[in-house]
Amino acid sequence: MVGILTDTTASIPGELAGRLGIEIVPYYIHRGLETLRDMMDVKPGEFAEWLKGASRLPTTSNPSPGDYLMGLRHLAERMKEIVVLAMTSKGSGAYQSCLAAVDMFRGQAPEVQVEVVDTLQVGMVQGWAAVESARTALAGLSFDEVIHRAREVAQKGMMIQTADTLRYLYLGGRIGKAKHLVASLLNIKPLIGMQDGIIVALGTARSRRKAYHRMVELMQQHVGEGARIKIAFTHVAALEHLERLRPLVTARFDCVETIVTDLSPALAVHSGPGTVGVNFFSI
């Protein structure tokens, strides 16, 4: 069977990752003199509460080649084929770090086949690619079919999220092509997404309610009204806001599978408390 490896920014619920046997390596959060392993030393709820009052944002860093190497070795104890799904290479050094680890690993275990997929995504679109490829592997399909499924979901998937402010993305240096929105008034709710592996602006709205309706419109443009989709709702300390968005989505689409999950703290640093997002693909 094929093993699947990804990182914590995929924001896959722990129980689901465990059930599917997905190996996950941590990003890092540097808070003052502390270095915290994402989703291990720090959990989403407690981190979001701390972030609300932080006067200075922590920084983040991607897994090291050693982290990926450890994950590869762990999977290789029971797998002879491994697919690694990395966050967009255009927004993080994780992809290059992973390639370095795979080069080392191939020298140590040449009998194990490894393929690295640059998802050009982040969050639960990356997560969906990992989940669906793991399900393909569990169904007994071939190495090539698992790789194909990972790439297919990553390419079809779309992330849209909105937050109270772009302050966290801006201060964290991850604003990308959405930089021109920084000067917007505080009551403007930005909508952002990913295009070709880069964070981009998808528009603004004057209120959360209008932002949620705009998110649904963007979803319709991407897959068509009434489409059959798998969707993950993500949030940063904003479950009550997420529950206002959810019925707007379920009324317009056939949601074959729905997941609700926290963004990992390593992503919450850049998006901030109050973030709500949809991560979906058509089936």
Side-chain angles (χ1 to χ4, degrees):
M1 195 173 71
V2 183
I4 304 298
L5 187 150
T6 192
D7 62 76
T8 51
T9 64
S11 300
I12 304 169
E15 184 275 334
L16 178 60
R19 191 167 72 244
L20 296 176
I22 299 171
E23 185 79 13
I24 298 180
V25 297
Y27 262 64
Y28 291 92
I29 298 168
H30 307 285
R31 185 172 64 182
L33 298 178
E34 295 179 292
T35 295
L36 306 170
R37 293 172 299 170
D38 189 34
M39 298 298 291
M40 295 181 181
D41 300 325
V42 60
K43 298 297 184 180
E46 65 189 57
F47 184 75
E49 286 304 311
W50 175 85
L51 198 57
K52 289 177 183 179
S55 57
R56 184 176 180 180
L57 290 186
T59 59
T60 59
S61 59
N62 55 259
S64 69
D67 293 320
Y68 280 111
L69 188 58
M70 188 180 302
L72 290 166
R73 287 172 176 167
H74 190 229
L75 281 175
E77 292 174 1
R78 58 191 191 282
M79 311 287 185
K80 294 304 178 186
E81 297 169 324
I82 299 171
V83 177
V84 186
L85 294 95
M87 183 216 272
T88 173
S89 61
K90 299 178 182 180
S92 168
Y95 180 68
Q96 294 301 325
S97 181
C98 182
L99 291 180
V102 169
D103 281 344
M104 288 187 282
F105 179 74
R106 283 173 175 152
Q108 300 169 4
E111 73 283 2
V112 180
Q113 281 189 281
V114 184
E115 181 75 15
V116 181
V117 175
D118 179 1
T119 64
L120 295 176
Q121 297 283 358
V122 71
M124 263 302 295
V125 177
Q126 174 189 346
W128 273 126
V131 166
E132 290 297 300
S133 57
R135 287 170 172 167
T136 302
L138 287 170
L141 276 70
S142 71
F143 185 49
D144 287 343
E145 288 170 309
V146 172
I147 295 167
H148 174 77
R149 184 58 174 162
R151 289 179 173 152
E152 177 185 40
V153 173
Q155 289 168 3
K156 291 173 67 176
M158 183 178 190
M159 179 272 285
I160 312 168
Q161 68 180 37
T162 188
D164 286 329
T165 175
L166 280 173
R167 171 178 177 265
Y168 296 94
L169 270 174
Y170 180 66
L171 292 178
R174 303 301 174 92
I175 202 76
K177 292 182 179 178
K179 187 176 293 185
H180 69 279
L181 289 178
V182 172
S184 298
L185 299 174
L186 291 178
N187 65 334
I188 296 293
K189 307 304 176 189
L191 288 93
I192 64 168
M194 298 285 289
Q195 289 181 2
D196 298 322
I198 298 171
I199 295 174
V200 295
L202 298 176
T204 59
R206 293 277 179 181
S207 66
R208 274 189 178 273
R209 182 181 65 81
K210 290 181 179 179
Y212 296 163
H213 281 280
R214 181 58 182 149
M215 289 171 78
V216 173
E217 290 173 0
L218 290 167
M219 292 178 68
Q220 289 174 306
Q221 291 173 17
H222 190 68
V223 297
E225 184 168 0
R228 299 178 76 238
I229 63 172
K230 292 192 177 186
I231 184 165
F233 294 94
T234 52
H235 71 101
V236 180
L239 189 57
E240 71 283 5
H241 295 298
L242 184 154
E243 292 301 336
R244 294 171 190 161
L245 169 63
R246 186 169 176 170
L248 300 178
V249 173
T250 56
R252 296 293 186 94
F253 304 96
D254 181 4
C255 299
V256 176
E257 182 176 1
T258 300
I259 293 172
V260 175
T261 187
D262 297 274
L263 278 182
S264 80
L267 292 181
V269 168
H270 306 294
S271 56
T275 297
V276 172
V278 290
N279 307 253
F280 62 97
F281 67 99
S282 61
I283 61 171

